Amino acid sequence: MAYLNNLAEYHKVFSAEDEAEMDSKLGLFRAFSKLCEHNRELLDDMLATDTSAISHVANYIQGMIGDQQVYIISNLATGKSKSLYSTDGLWTIGRDPRQSDIAVPDKRLSRCHAAVQYSQEQGFVISDLESTNGTYVNGEKLKRVYALRDGDRIRIGSSLFHFFLTSGVHTNQSDAAAYHSIESLENGRTLH
């Protein structure tokens, strides 16, 4: 068996197609190397993403501002849309159904990982609740409360979802009940 001793001998062995493929792979390797140098945490998060948790249906939380009530609609917990009403405008997200309003079966979530809250002054905001793996909005790790905008992309644990905002909705709780299962949350809580 002959061993190739230098780069010139390798070029003789590879065809032009093989060389183009190798250049493409080398370019990808260089991009990941730069990413690793400048933002190792992001690269670690990308590589640690649990692909088995990815579903075919896009996950979301939709903030609904109606003339009578504010609520959210989400499919995070079960994959099916569900309306959630809260008298204090606060919804928690985590893996423990006893501690979280939206319980998501994701082993990378803390028991009570993040919270979405609505106030007339700020609109909908999200906050990380000192979770182990953090909360990311549009690829940036949250360090404080973040005012959500329509289309924001949120990642908690292995779960990726989008936030959508709908205002001026003319519905009441009985109208929404015809389309979604409803849960009402009545304990007084505040996000700080």
Side-chain angles (χ1 to χ4, degrees):
M1 176 176 206
Y3 292 100
L4 303 176
N5 294 324
N6 63 42
L7 190 57
E9 291 179 36
Y10 279 107
H11 282 290
K12 291 177 188 174
V13 174
F14 287 118
S15 69
E17 288 177 13
D18 291 336
E19 194 169 331
E21 183 179 344
M22 289 298 286
D23 286 343
S24 175
K25 288 179 180 178
L26 181 59
L28 186 59
F29 172 76
R30 287 181 179 146
F32 272 100
S33 293
K34 277 193 176 202
L35 180 60
C36 185
E37 286 174 21
H38 297 345
N39 194 345
R40 177 64 191 201
E41 187 175 293
L42 176 62
L43 180 60
D44 289 342
D45 288 342
M46 288 171 51
L47 294 174
T49 300
D50 184 4
T51 56
S52 66
I54 297 173
S55 66
H56 294 88
V57 177
N59 291 325
Y60 69 92
I61 290 181
Q62 183 171 5
M64 304 292 288
I65 304 171
D67 54 353
Q68 297 181 14
Q69 192 164 9
V70 174
Y71 60 99
I72 64 172
I73 300 172
S74 178
N75 67 347
L76 285 178
T78 63
K80 295 182 180 179
S81 294
K82 184 180 221 176
S83 294
L84 297 161
Y85 293 86
S86 173
T87 57
D88 59 2
L90 180 66
W91 300 268
T92 56
I93 307 166
R95 75 170 191 269
D96 187 346
R98 294 169 300 193
Q99 296 181 26
S100 301
D101 302 318
I102 302 173
V104 181
D106 181 342
K107 64 185 177 189
R108 290 196 174 100
L109 285 184
S110 295
R111 288 181 186 97
C112 196
H113 193 103
V116 173
Q117 184 173 25
Y118 177 80
S119 71
Q120 287 186 333
E121 299 80 33
Q122 293 184 295
F124 284 96
V125 297
I126 189 167
S127 179
D128 185 79
L129 300 176
E130 299 180 5
S131 67
T132 302
N133 293 322
T135 299
Y136 294 79
V137 178
N138 300 323
E140 298 290 324
K141 187 172 184 175
L142 283 186
K143 295 182 174 128
R144 58 189 167 282
V145 174
Y146 175 85
L148 289 166
R149 294 172 292 180
D150 190 49
D152 279 339
R153 190 182 39 143
I154 302 161
R155 185 174 61 78
I156 56 174
S158 300
S159 301
L160 177 66
F161 62 95
H162 289 84
F163 176 81
F164 300 105
L165 180 62
T166 304
S167 59
V169 178
H170 182 69
T171 64
N172 59 36
Q173 211 165 347
S174 62
D175 292 338
Y179 300 103
H180 307 283
S181 60
I182 296 174
E183 285 189 16
S184 182
L185 309 170
E186 297 183 6
N187 41 344
R189 304 162 298 173
T190 305
L191 181 62
H192 296 282

